[in-house]
């Protein structure tokens, strides 16, 4: 996933994260909730425009090492894709 973001293949137009629950035990923290996002159009015009809203559940796992929190695990499951419809032509 990181290579897709870094390479410009995934470009987010909007992003919202809602945390449902957090738990900390010792040097491990877990956060769960949901995220919603829309994707920017492909800059090379190789893909059709997307106005769809994606809604996902997530779980992030963090570990404290030398006083710094580092993400050591992440799971995302797509719950819904809400079709946004076609864009008007320019």
């Amino acid at each position: 996933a990181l290579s897709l973001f870094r390479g410009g293949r995934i470009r987010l137009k909007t992003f919202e994260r809602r945390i449902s629950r957090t738990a900390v035990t010792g040097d491990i923290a877990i956060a769960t909730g949901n995220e919603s996002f829309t994707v920017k159009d492909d800059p090379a015009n190789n893909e059709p425009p997307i106005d769809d809203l994606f809604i996902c559940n997530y779980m992030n796992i963090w570990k404290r090492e030398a006083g710094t929190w580092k993400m050591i695990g992440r799971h995302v499951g797509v719950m819904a894709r809400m079709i946004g419809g076609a864009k008007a032509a320019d």
Side-chain angles (χ1 to χ4, degrees):
L2 287 176
S3 65
L4 294 174
F5 279 104
R6 288 179 181 143
R9 293 282 298 153
I10 298 175
R11 298 172 51 219
L12 300 181
K13 186 186 303 183
T14 64
F15 179 83
E16 183 179 354
R17 175 177 292 147
R18 289 168 296 285
I19 300 169
S20 299
R21 183 169 177 173
T22 58
V24 179
T25 302
D27 289 335
I28 299 292
I30 299 174
T32 61
N34 59 58
E35 299 169 338
S36 60
F37 61 90
T38 57
V39 181
K40 289 185 179 181
D41 295 337
D42 178 15
N45 293 320
N46 293 326
E47 303 289 335
I50 299 175
D51 287 329
D52 300 353
L53 175 67
F54 294 86
I55 301 172
C56 303
N57 280 334
Y58 77 90
M59 177 176 58
N60 292 339
I61 304 171
W62 300 80
K63 183 176 183 182
R64 185 172 34 206
E65 295 178 353
T68 302
W69 288 98
K70 297 180 181 182
M71 185 182 289
I72 61 169
R74 175 166 167 84
H75 175 75
V76 176
V78 176
M79 293 174 33
R81 180 177 180 174
M82 302 176 76
I83 305 301
K87 283 189 170 182
D90 290 335

